Amino acid sequence: MLNIIGSIVSFLGVVTFIFVIWFMKREGEDERGDKIIGQAGMVGFVSFLIGYNIIFITNIIYGLNGEQYTFALACLLALVLIAYGGTIFFLKKKY
């Protein structure tokens, strides 16, 4: 079950990564793009800090095994990419 969920979340992360790279190449070089990338970076950074603290506290309380911890970190990476890409997507429409 973890493999299926991990595969789906990782696939969404890869799609978001491709979108972010596409945005940076096409629209990220002007002032508007810099502003969008900067705000998205702040959202991605905050989501990373919150997600990592949740994983860290969960590991202390429940003692995750190696597979669970690896799954949590993979989900964290994908969700940070999704938060970054989603912020770019919404700010692109806003500005």
Side-chain angles (χ1 to χ4, degrees):
M1 186 65 174
L2 287 180
N3 290 336
I4 294 171
I5 295 170
S7 297
I8 292 169
V9 172
S10 295
F11 176 75
L12 291 173
V14 168
V15 169
T16 305
F17 179 73
I18 292 169
F19 169 73
V20 168
I21 296 299
W22 174 79
F23 177 81
M24 287 181 179
K25 293 238 181 219
R26 288 195 68 201
E27 302 179 35
E29 297 179 3
D30 58 355
E31 291 176 12
R32 175 183 159 265
D34 284 342
K35 185 174 183 178
I36 291 172
I37 290 171
Q39 289 181 348
M42 286 187 275
V43 170
F45 180 67
V46 169
S47 65
F48 171 76
L49 291 176
I50 292 170
Y52 188 79
N53 282 322
I54 290 171
I55 293 170
F56 184 77
I57 291 169
T58 303
N59 187 34
I60 290 172
I61 294 172
Y62 295 111
L64 302 174
N65 64 27
E67 181 181 350
Q68 292 169 333
Y69 195 73
T70 303
F71 172 74
L73 291 178
C75 286
L76 174 64
L77 175 62
L79 292 175
V80 167
L81 286 170
I82 291 169
Y84 187 75
T87 304
I88 288 174
F89 181 76
F90 288 116
L91 290 177
K92 182 179 169 186
K93 291 186 175 196
K94 182 178 178 181
Y95 298 123

Coordinates of all heavy atoms in Angstrom, one line a residue:
M1 N 0.8 -1.2 0.0 CA 0.0 0.0 0.0 C 0.9 1.3 0.0 O 0.6 2.2 -0.7 CB -0.9 0.0 1.2 CG -1.9 1.1 1.3 SD -3.0 0.9 -0.1 CE -4.2 2.2 0.2
L2 N 1.9 1.2 0.8 CA 2.8 2.4 0.8 C 3.5 2.6 -0.5 O 3.7 3.8 -0.9 CB 3.9 2.2 1.9 CG 3.5 2.4 3.3 CD1 4.7 2.2 4.3 CD2 2.9 3.7 3.6
N3 N 3.8 1.5 -1.3 CA 4.4 1.7 -2.6 C 3.5 2.4 -3.6 O 3.9 3.2 -4.3 CB 4.8 0.3 -3.1 CG 5.9 -0.3 -2.4 OD1 6.7 0.4 -1.8 ND2 6.0 -1.6 -2.4
I4 N 2.2 2.1 -3.5 CA 1.2 2.7 -4.4 C 1.1 4.2 -4.1 O 1.2 5.0 -5.0 CB -0.1 2.0 -4.3 CG1 0.0 0.6 -4.9 CG2 -1.2 2.7 -5.1 CD1 -1.2 -0.3 -4.6
I5 N 0.9 4.5 -2.8 CA 0.8 5.9 -2.4 C 2.1 6.6 -2.7 O 2.0 7.8 -3.3 CB 0.4 6.0 -0.9 CG1 -1.0 5.4 -0.7 CG2 0.4 7.4 -0.5 CD1 -1.3 5.2 0.8
G6 N 3.2 6.0 -2.4 CA 4.5 6.7 -2.7 C 4.7 6.9 -4.2 O 5.2 7.9 -4.6
S7 N 4.3 6.0 -5.0 CA 4.4 6.1 -6.5 C 3.6 7.3 -7.0 O 4.0 8.0 -7.8 CB 4.0 4.8 -7.2 OG 4.9 3.8 -6.8
I8 N 2.3 7.4 -6.5 CA 1.4 8.4 -6.9 C 2.0 9.8 -6.5 O 2.0 10.7 -7.3 CB 0.0 8.2 -6.4 CG1 -0.6 7.0 -7.0 CG2 -0.9 9.4 -6.6 CD1 -1.9 6.5 -6.4
V9 N 2.4 9.9 -5.2 CA 2.9 11.2 -4.7 C 4.2 11.5 -5.5 O 4.4 12.7 -5.8 CB 3.1 11.1 -3.2 CG1 3.8 12.3 -2.7 CG2 1.8 11.0 -2.5
S10 N 5.0 10.6 -5.7 CA 6.3 10.8 -6.4 C 6.0 11.3 -7.9 O 6.7 12.2 -8.4 CB 7.2 9.6 -6.4 OG 7.6 9.3 -5.1
F11 N 5.1 10.6 -8.5 CA 4.7 11.0 -9.9 C 4.2 12.4 -9.9 O 4.6 13.2 -10.8 CB 3.6 10.1 -10.4 CG 3.2 10.4 -11.8 CD1 4.0 10.2 -12.9 CD2 1.9 11.0 -12.0 CE1 3.5 10.6 -14.2 CE2 1.5 11.4 -13.2 CZ 2.3 11.2 -14.3
L12 N 3.3 12.8 -9.0 CA 2.9 14.2 -8.9 C 4.0 15.2 -8.7 O 4.1 16.3 -9.2 CB 1.8 14.3 -7.8 CG 0.5 13.7 -8.1 CD1 -0.4 13.8 -6.9 CD2 -0.2 14.3 -9.3
G13 N 5.0 14.8 -7.8 CA 6.2 15.6 -7.6 C 7.0 15.8 -8.9 O 7.5 16.9 -9.1
V14 N 7.2 14.7 -9.7 CA 7.9 14.8 -10.9 C 7.2 15.7 -11.9 O 7.8 16.6 -12.6 CB 8.2 13.4 -11.5 CG1 8.7 13.5 -12.9 CG2 9.1 12.7 -10.6
V15 N 5.9 15.6 -12.0 CA 5.1 16.5 -12.9 C 5.2 17.9 -12.5 O 5.4 18.8 -13.3 CB 3.6 16.0 -12.9 CG1 2.7 17.0 -13.6 CG2 3.5 14.6 -13.6
T16 N 5.2 18.2 -11.2 CA 5.3 19.5 -10.7 C 6.7 20.1 -10.9 O 6.9 21.2 -11.3 CB 5.0 19.5 -9.2 OG1 3.7 19.0 -8.9 CG2 5.0 20.9 -8.6
F17 N 7.7 19.2 -10.8 CA 9.1 19.6 -11.1 C 9.2 20.0 -12.5 O 9.9 21.1 -12.8 CB 10.0 18.5 -10.7 CG 11.5 18.8 -11.0 CD1 12.2 19.7 -10.2 CD2 12.1 18.2 -12.1 CE1 13.5 20.0 -10.4 CE2 13.5 18.5 -12.3 CZ 14.1 19.4 -11.5
I18 N 8.6 19.3 -13.4 CA 8.7 19.6 -14.8 C 8.0 21.0 -15.1 O 8.5 21.8 -15.8 CB 8.1 18.5 -15.7 CG1 9.0 17.3 -15.6 CG2 7.9 19.0 -17.1 CD1 8.3 16.0 -16.2
F19 N 6.8 21.2 -14.4 CA 6.1 22.5 -14.6 C 7.0 23.6 -14.0 O 7.1 24.7 -14.7 CB 4.8 22.4 -13.8 CG 4.2 23.8 -13.7 CD1 3.6 24.4 -14.8 CD2 4.1 24.5 -12.5 CE1 3.0 25.6 -14.6 CE2 3.6 25.7 -12.3 CZ 3.0 26.3 -13.4
V20 N 7.7 23.4 -12.9 CA 8.5 24.5 -12.3 C 9.7 24.8 -13.3 O 10.0 26.0 -13.5 CB 9.0 24.1 -10.9 CG1 10.1 25.0 -10.5 CG2 7.9 24.0 -9.9
I21 N 10.3 23.8 -13.8 CA 11.4 24.1 -14.8 C 10.9 24.8 -16.0 O 11.6 25.7 -16.5 CB 12.1 22.7 -15.1 CG1 12.8 22.1 -13.9 CG2 13.1 22.9 -16.3 CD1 13.8 23.0 -13.3
W22 N 9.8 24.4 -16.5 CA 9.2 25.0 -17.7 C 8.9 26.5 -17.4 O 9.2 27.4 -18.2 CB 7.9 24.3 -18.0 CG 7.1 25.0 -19.1 CD1 7.3 24.9 -20.5 CD2 6.0 25.8 -19.0 NE1 6.4 25.7 -21.1 CE2 5.5 26.2 -20.2 CE3 5.2 26.2 -17.8 CZ2 4.5 27.1 -20.4 CZ3 4.1 27.1 -18.0 CH2 3.8 27.5 -19.3
F23 N 8.3 26.8 -16.2 CA 8.0 28.2 -15.8 C 9.3 29.0 -15.7 O 9.4 30.1 -16.2 CB 7.3 28.2 -14.5 CG 7.0 29.6 -14.0 CD1 6.0 30.3 -14.5 CD2 7.8 30.2 -13.1 CE1 5.7 31.7 -14.1 CE2 7.6 31.5 -12.6 CZ 6.5 32.2 -13.2
M24 N 10.3 28.4 -15.1 CA 11.6 29.2 -14.9 C 12.2 29.5 -16.3 O 12.8 30.5 -16.5 CB 12.6 28.4 -14.1 CG 12.2 28.4 -12.6 SD 13.4 27.5 -11.7 CE 12.8 27.6 -10.1
K25 N 12.1 28.6 -17.2 CA 12.7 28.8 -18.6 C 12.0 29.8 -19.4 O 12.5 30.6 -20.0 CB 12.8 27.5 -19.3 CG 13.7 26.5 -18.7 CD 14.8 26.1 -19.8 CE 15.7 25.1 -19.1 NZ 17.0 25.3 -19.5
R26 N 10.6 29.8 -19.3 CA 9.8 30.7 -20.1 C 9.5 32.0 -19.5 O 9.6 33.0 -20.1 CB 8.5 30.0 -20.4 CG 8.6 28.8 -21.4 CD 7.3 28.4 -22.0 NE 6.8 29.5 -22.8 CZ 5.6 29.6 -23.2 NH1 4.7 28.7 -22.8 NH2 5.1 30.5 -24.0
E27 N 9.2 32.0 -18.2 CA 8.7 33.3 -17.6 C 9.5 33.7 -16.3 O 9.1 34.7 -15.7 CB 7.2 33.1 -17.2 CG 6.3 32.7 -18.4 CD 4.9 32.6 -18.0 OE1 4.5 33.3 -17.1 OE2 4.2 31.7 -18.6
G28 N 10.5 33.0 -15.9 CA 11.2 33.3 -14.7 C 12.3 34.3 -14.8 O 12.9 34.5 -13.8
E29 N 12.5 34.9 -15.9 CA 13.6 35.7 -16.1 C 13.3 37.2 -16.0 O 14.2 38.0 -16.0 CB 14.3 35.4 -17.4 CG 14.9 34.0 -17.4 CD 15.5 33.7 -18.7 OE1 15.7 34.5 -19.6 OE2 15.9 32.5 -18.9
D30 N 12.0 37.6 -15.9 CA 11.7 39.0 -15.7 C 11.3 39.3 -14.3 O 11.4 38.4 -13.4 CB 10.6 39.3 -16.7 CG 9.3 38.5 -16.4 OD1 9.4 37.6 -15.6 OD2 8.3 38.8 -17.1
E31 N 10.9 40.5 -14.0 CA 10.6 40.9 -12.6 C 9.4 40.2 -12.1 O 9.4 39.8 -10.9 CB 10.4 42.4 -12.6 CG 11.6 43.3 -12.8 CD 11.3 44.8 -12.9 OE1 10.2 45.1 -12.5 OE2 12.1 45.5 -13.3
R32 N 8.4 40.0 -12.9 CA 7.2 39.2 -12.5 C 7.6 37.8 -12.1 O 7.2 37.3 -11.1 CB 6.2 39.3 -13.6 CG 5.0 38.4 -13.3 CD 4.0 38.5 -14.6 NE 3.1 37.4 -14.5 CZ 3.3 36.2 -15.2 NH1 4.4 36.0 -15.9 NH2 2.5 35.3 -15.1
G33 N 8.4 37.2 -12.9 CA 8.8 35.8 -12.7 C 9.7 35.7 -11.4 O 9.5 34.8 -10.6
D34 N 10.5 36.7 -11.2 CA 11.4 36.7 -10.0 C 10.5 36.8 -8.7 O 10.7 36.1 -7.7 CB 12.4 37.8 -10.0 CG 13.5 37.6 -10.9 OD1 13.7 36.4 -11.3 OD2 14.2 38.6 -11.3
K35 N 9.5 37.7 -8.8 CA 8.6 37.8 -7.7 C 7.8 36.5 -7.4 O 7.7 36.1 -6.2 CB 7.6 39.0 -7.9 CG 6.7 39.3 -6.8 CD 5.9 40.5 -7.1 CE 5.0 40.9 -5.8 NZ 4.2 42.1 -6.0
I36 N 7.3 35.9 -8.4 CA 6.6 34.6 -8.2 C 7.5 33.6 -7.7 O 7.1 32.8 -6.8 CB 5.9 34.2 -9.6 CG1 4.8 35.2 -10.0 CG2 5.4 32.8 -9.5 CD1 4.2 35.0 -11.4
I37 N 8.7 33.4 -8.2 CA 9.6 32.4 -7.8 C 10.0 32.6 -6.3 O 10.1 31.7 -5.5 CB 10.8 32.3 -8.7 CG1 10.4 31.7 -10.0 CG2 11.9 31.5 -8.1 CD1 11.5 31.8 -11.1
G38 N 10.2 33.9 -6.0 CA 10.6 34.2 -4.6 C 9.5 33.9 -3.6 O 9.8 33.3 -2.5
Q39 N 8.3 34.2 -3.9 CA 7.2 33.9 -3.0 C 6.9 32.4 -2.9 O 6.6 31.9 -1.9 CB 5.9 34.7 -3.4 CG 5.9 36.1 -3.2 CD 4.7 36.9 -3.6 OE1 3.8 36.3 -4.2 NE2 4.6 38.1 -3.2
A40 N 7.0 31.7 -4.1 CA 6.9 30.3 -4.1 C 8.0 29.6 -3.3 O 7.8 28.6 -2.6 CB 6.9 29.8 -5.5
G41 N 9.2 30.2 -3.3 CA 10.3 29.6 -2.5 C 10.0 29.8 -1.0 O 10.4 28.8 -0.3
M42 N 9.4 30.9 -0.6 CA 9.1 31.0 0.8 C 8.1 30.0 1.2 O 8.2 29.4 2.3 CB 8.6 32.4 1.1 CG 9.7 33.5 1.0 SD 9.2 35.1 1.6 CE 8.5 35.7 0.0
V43 N 7.1 29.8 0.4 CA 6.0 28.8 0.7 C 6.6 27.4 0.8 O 6.4 26.6 1.7 CB 4.9 28.8 -0.3 CG1 3.9 27.7 -0.2 CG2 4.1 30.1 -0.2
G44 N 7.5 27.1 -0.2 CA 8.2 25.8 -0.2 C 9.1 25.6 1.0 O 9.1 24.5 1.6
F45 N 9.8 26.6 1.4 CA 10.6 26.5 2.6 C 9.8 26.3 3.9 O 10.2 25.4 4.7 CB 11.5 27.8 2.7 CG 12.4 27.8 3.9 CD1 13.5 26.9 3.9 CD2 12.2 28.7 4.9 CE1 14.4 26.9 5.0 CE2 13.1 28.7 6.0 CZ 14.2 27.8 6.0
V46 N 8.8 27.0 4.0 CA 7.9 26.9 5.2 C 7.3 25.5 5.2 O 7.2 24.8 6.3 CB 6.9 28.0 5.3 CG1 5.8 27.7 6.3 CG2 7.5 29.3 5.5
S47 N 6.8 25.0 4.1 CA 6.2 23.7 4.0 C 7.2 22.6 4.3 O 6.9 21.6 5.0 CB 5.5 23.4 2.7 OG 6.5 23.4 1.6
F48 N 8.5 22.8 3.9 CA 9.5 21.8 4.3 C 9.7 21.8 5.8 O 9.8 20.7 6.4 CB 10.8 22.2 3.5 CG 12.0 21.4 4.0 CD1 12.1 20.0 3.7 CD2 12.9 21.9 4.9 CE1 13.2 19.3 4.1 CE2 14.0 21.2 5.4 CZ 14.1 19.8 5.0
L49 N 9.9 23.0 6.4 CA 10.1 23.1 7.8 C 9.0 22.4 8.6 O 9.2 21.6 9.5 CB 10.3 24.5 8.3 CG 11.6 25.2 7.8 CD1 11.6 26.6 8.2 CD2 12.8 24.4 8.3
I50 N 7.8 22.7 8.3 CA 6.6 22.1 9.0 C 6.6 20.6 8.7 O 6.4 19.9 9.7 CB 5.3 22.8 8.5 CG1 5.3 24.3 9.0 CG2 4.1 22.0 9.0 CD1 4.1 25.1 8.4
G51 N 6.7 20.2 7.5 CA 6.7 18.8 7.2 C 7.8 18.0 7.9 O 7.6 16.9 8.4
Y52 N 9.0 18.5 7.9 CA 10.1 17.8 8.5 C 9.9 17.7 10.0 O 10.2 16.7 10.6 CB 11.4 18.5 8.2 CG 12.6 17.7 8.7 CD1 13.0 16.6 8.0 CD2 13.2 18.0 9.9 CE1 14.1 15.8 8.4 CE2 14.3 17.2 10.4 CZ 14.7 16.1 9.6 OH 15.7 15.4 10.1
N53 N 9.4 18.8 10.6 CA 9.1 18.7 12.1 C 8.0 17.7 12.4 O 8.1 17.0 13.4 CB 8.7 20.1 12.6 CG 9.9 21.0 12.8 OD1 11.0 20.5 13.2 ND2 9.8 22.3 12.5
I54 N 7.0 17.6 11.6 CA 6.0 16.6 11.8 C 6.6 15.2 11.7 O 6.3 14.3 12.5 CB 4.9 16.8 10.7 CG1 4.1 18.0 11.1 CG2 3.9 15.5 10.7 CD1 3.1 18.4 10.0
I55 N 7.5 14.9 10.7 CA 8.1 13.6 10.6 C 9.0 13.4 11.8 O 9.0 12.3 12.3 CB 8.9 13.6 9.3 CG1 7.9 13.6 8.1 CG2 9.8 12.3 9.2 CD1 8.6 13.7 6.7
F56 N 9.8 14.4 12.2 CA 10.7 14.2 13.3 C 9.9 13.9 14.6 O 10.3 13.0 15.3 CB 11.5 15.5 13.5 CG 12.5 15.5 14.5 CD1 13.7 14.8 14.3 CD2 12.3 16.1 15.8 CE1 14.7 14.7 15.3 CE2 13.3 16.0 16.8 CZ 14.5 15.3 16.5
I57 N 8.9 14.6 14.9 CA 8.1 14.4 16.1 C 7.4 13.0 16.0 O 7.4 12.3 17.0 CB 7.1 15.5 16.3 CG1 7.8 16.8 16.7 CG2 6.1 15.1 17.4 CD1 7.0 18.0 16.7
T58 N 6.9 12.7 14.8 CA 6.2 11.3 14.7 C 7.3 10.2 14.9 O 7.0 9.2 15.5 CB 5.6 11.2 13.3 OG1 4.7 12.3 13.1 CG2 4.9 9.9 13.1
N59 N 8.5 10.4 14.4 CA 9.5 9.4 14.6 C 9.9 9.3 16.1 O 10.1 8.2 16.6 CB 10.8 9.8 13.8 CG 11.8 8.7 13.9 OD1 11.5 7.5 13.9 ND2 13.1 9.1 13.8
I60 N 9.9 10.4 16.8 CA 10.2 10.3 18.3 C 9.1 9.6 19.0 O 9.3 8.7 19.9 CB 10.4 11.7 18.9 CG1 11.7 12.3 18.3 CG2 10.4 11.7 20.4 CD1 11.9 13.8 18.7
I61 N 7.8 9.9 18.7 CA 6.7 9.3 19.4 C 6.4 7.9 19.1 O 6.3 7.0 19.9 CB 5.4 10.2 19.2 CG1 5.6 11.6 19.8 CG2 4.2 9.5 19.7 CD1 4.5 12.5 19.4
Y62 N 6.4 7.6 17.8 CA 6.0 6.2 17.3 C 7.2 5.4 16.9 O 7.0 4.2 16.7 CB 5.0 6.3 16.2 CG 3.7 6.9 16.6 CD1 3.3 8.1 16.1 CD2 2.9 6.2 17.5 CE1 2.1 8.7 16.5 CE2 1.7 6.8 17.8 CZ 1.3 8.0 17.3 OH 0.1 8.6 17.7
G63 N 8.4 5.9 16.7 CA 9.5 5.1 16.3 C 9.4 4.5 14.9 O 9.2 3.3 14.8
L64 N 9.4 5.3 13.9 CA 9.2 4.8 12.5 C 10.4 3.8 12.2 O 11.5 4.1 12.5 CB 9.2 5.9 11.5 CG 8.1 7.0 11.8 CD1 8.3 8.1 10.8 CD2 6.7 6.4 11.6
N65 N 10.0 2.8 11.4 CA 11.1 1.9 10.9 C 11.7 2.5 9.7 O 11.2 3.6 9.2 CB 10.6 0.5 10.7 CG 9.5 0.4 9.6 OD1 9.5 1.2 8.7 ND2 8.7 -0.6 9.7
G66 N 12.7 1.9 9.1 CA 13.4 2.4 8.0 C 12.5 2.7 6.8 O 12.6 3.7 6.1
E67 N 11.6 1.8 6.5 CA 10.7 1.9 5.3 C 9.7 3.0 5.5 O 9.5 3.8 4.6 CB 10.0 0.6 5.1 CG 9.0 0.6 3.9 CD 8.3 -0.7 3.7 OE1 8.6 -1.7 4.3 OE2 7.4 -0.7 2.8
Q68 N 9.2 3.2 6.7 CA 8.2 4.2 7.0 C 8.9 5.6 6.9 O 8.4 6.6 6.4 CB 7.6 4.0 8.3 CG 6.7 2.8 8.4 CD 6.3 2.5 9.8 OE1 7.0 2.8 10.8 NE2 5.1 1.9 10.0
Y69 N 10.1 5.7 7.5 CA 10.9 6.9 7.5 C 11.2 7.4 6.1 O 11.1 8.5 5.7 CB 12.1 6.8 8.4 CG 12.7 8.1 8.7 CD1 12.1 8.9 9.7 CD2 13.9 8.5 8.2 CE1 12.7 10.2 10.0 CE2 14.5 9.7 8.5 CZ 13.9 10.5 9.4 OH 14.4 11.8 9.8
T70 N 11.7 6.4 5.2 CA 12.0 6.7 3.9 C 10.8 7.1 3.1 O 10.8 8.1 2.3 CB 12.6 5.5 3.2 OG1 13.8 5.0 3.9 CG2 13.0 5.7 1.7
F71 N 9.6 6.5 3.3 CA 8.4 6.9 2.7 C 8.0 8.3 3.1 O 7.6 9.1 2.3 CB 7.3 5.9 3.1 CG 5.9 6.3 2.7 CD1 5.5 6.2 1.3 CD2 5.0 6.8 3.6 CE1 4.3 6.6 0.9 CE2 3.7 7.2 3.2 CZ 3.4 7.1 1.9
A72 N 8.1 8.6 4.4 CA 7.8 9.9 4.9 C 8.7 11.0 4.2 O 8.2 12.1 3.8 CB 7.9 10.0 6.4
L73 N 9.9 10.7 4.1 CA 10.8 11.7 3.5 C 10.6 11.9 2.0 O 10.6 13.0 1.4 CB 12.3 11.3 3.7 CG 12.8 11.5 5.1 CD1 14.2 11.0 5.2 CD2 12.6 12.9 5.7
A74 N 10.2 10.8 1.3 CA 9.8 10.9 -0.1 C 8.6 11.7 -0.3 O 8.5 12.5 -1.2 CB 9.7 9.5 -0.7
C75 N 7.6 11.5 0.6 CA 6.4 12.2 0.5 C 6.6 13.7 0.8 O 6.1 14.6 0.2 CB 5.3 11.7 1.5 SG 4.6 10.2 0.9
L76 N 7.5 14.0 1.8 CA 7.9 15.3 2.1 C 8.5 16.0 0.9 O 8.1 17.2 0.6 CB 8.9 15.4 3.3 CG 9.4 16.7 3.6 CD1 8.3 17.7 4.1 CD2 10.5 16.6 4.7
L77 N 9.4 15.4 0.2 CA 10.0 16.0 -1.0 C 9.0 16.3 -2.0 O 8.9 17.4 -2.6 CB 11.1 15.1 -1.6 CG 11.7 15.5 -2.9 CD1 12.4 16.9 -2.7 CD2 12.7 14.5 -3.4
A78 N 8.1 15.3 -2.3 CA 7.1 15.5 -3.3 C 6.1 16.6 -2.9 O 5.7 17.4 -3.7 CB 6.3 14.2 -3.6
L79 N 5.7 16.6 -1.7 CA 4.7 17.6 -1.2 C 5.3 19.0 -1.2 O 4.6 20.0 -1.5 CB 4.2 17.3 0.1 CG 3.3 16.0 0.1 CD1 2.9 15.6 1.5 CD2 2.1 16.2 -0.8
V80 N 6.6 19.2 -0.9 CA 7.3 20.5 -1.0 C 7.3 20.9 -2.5 O 7.0 22.1 -2.8 CB 8.7 20.4 -0.4 CG1 9.5 21.7 -0.8 CG2 8.6 20.3 1.1
L81 N 7.6 20.0 -3.4 CA 7.6 20.4 -4.8 C 6.2 20.8 -5.3 O 6.0 21.7 -6.0 CB 8.1 19.2 -5.7 CG 9.6 19.0 -5.7 CD1 9.9 17.6 -6.3 CD2 10.3 20.1 -6.3
I82 N 5.2 20.0 -4.8 CA 3.8 20.3 -5.1 C 3.4 21.7 -4.6 O 2.7 22.5 -5.2 CB 2.8 19.2 -4.7 CG1 3.1 18.0 -5.5 CG2 1.4 19.6 -4.7 CD1 2.4 16.7 -5.0
A83 N 3.8 22.0 -3.3 CA 3.5 23.3 -2.8 C 4.2 24.4 -3.5 O 3.6 25.5 -3.8 CB 3.9 23.4 -1.3
Y84 N 5.4 24.2 -3.9 CA 6.2 25.2 -4.7 C 5.5 25.4 -6.1 O 5.3 26.6 -6.5 CB 7.6 24.7 -4.9 CG 8.6 25.7 -5.5 CD1 9.0 26.8 -4.8 CD2 9.0 25.5 -6.8 CE1 9.9 27.7 -5.4 CE2 9.9 26.4 -7.4 CZ 10.3 27.5 -6.7 OH 11.2 28.3 -7.3
G85 N 5.2 24.3 -6.8 CA 4.6 24.4 -8.1 C 3.2 25.0 -8.0 O 2.8 25.8 -8.9
G86 N 2.4 24.6 -7.0 CA 1.1 25.1 -6.9 C 1.1 26.6 -6.6 O 0.2 27.3 -7.1
T87 N 2.0 27.1 -5.8 CA 2.1 28.5 -5.5 C 2.5 29.2 -6.8 O 1.9 30.3 -7.1 CB 3.2 28.8 -4.5 OG1 2.9 28.0 -3.3 CG2 3.3 30.2 -4.1
I88 N 3.4 28.7 -7.6 CA 3.7 29.3 -8.9 C 2.5 29.4 -9.8 O 2.2 30.4 -10.4 CB 4.9 28.6 -9.6 CG1 6.2 28.8 -8.9 CG2 5.0 29.0 -11.1 CD1 7.4 28.0 -9.4
F89 N 1.7 28.3 -9.8 CA 0.5 28.2 -10.7 C -0.5 29.3 -10.3 O -1.0 30.0 -11.2 CB -0.1 26.8 -10.6 CG -1.3 26.6 -11.4 CD1 -1.1 26.4 -12.8 CD2 -2.5 26.6 -10.8 CE1 -2.3 26.2 -13.6 CE2 -3.7 26.4 -11.6 CZ -3.5 26.2 -13.0
F90 N -0.8 29.4 -9.0 CA -1.8 30.4 -8.6 C -1.3 31.8 -8.7 O -2.0 32.7 -9.0 CB -2.2 30.1 -7.1 CG -3.1 28.8 -7.1 CD1 -2.7 27.7 -6.4 CD2 -4.3 28.8 -7.7 CE1 -3.5 26.6 -6.3 CE2 -5.1 27.6 -7.7 CZ -4.7 26.5 -7.0
L91 N 0.0 32.0 -8.4 CA 0.5 33.4 -8.5 C 0.7 33.8 -9.9 O 0.6 35.0 -10.3 CB 1.9 33.5 -7.8 CG 1.8 33.5 -6.2 CD1 3.2 33.5 -5.6 CD2 0.9 34.6 -5.7
K92 N 0.9 32.9 -10.8 CA 1.0 33.2 -12.3 C -0.3 33.7 -12.7 O -0.4 34.6 -13.5 CB 1.4 31.9 -13.0 CG 1.5 32.0 -14.5 CD 1.9 30.7 -15.1 CE 1.8 30.8 -16.6 NZ 2.0 29.5 -17.2
K93 N -1.4 33.2 -12.2 CA -2.8 33.7 -12.6 C -3.1 35.0 -11.9 O -3.8 35.9 -12.5 CB -3.8 32.7 -12.3 CG -3.8 31.4 -13.1 CD -4.9 30.5 -12.8 CE -4.9 29.4 -13.8 NZ -6.1 28.7 -13.9
K94 N -2.5 35.2 -10.7 CA -2.8 36.4 -10.0 C -2.0 37.6 -10.6 O -2.6 38.7 -10.7 CB -2.4 36.2 -8.5 CG -2.6 37.4 -7.6 CD -2.2 37.2 -6.2 CE -2.5 38.4 -5.3 NZ -2.1 38.1 -4.0
Y95 N -0.8 37.4 -11.0 CA 0.0 38.5 -11.5 C 0.0 38.5 -13.0 O 0.7 38.5 -13.8 CB 1.4 38.5 -11.0 CG 1.5 38.6 -9.5 CD1 2.2 37.7 -8.7 CD2 1.0 39.7 -8.8 CE1 2.3 37.8 -7.3 CE2 1.1 39.9 -7.5 CZ 1.7 38.9 -6.7 OH 1.8 39.0 -5.4

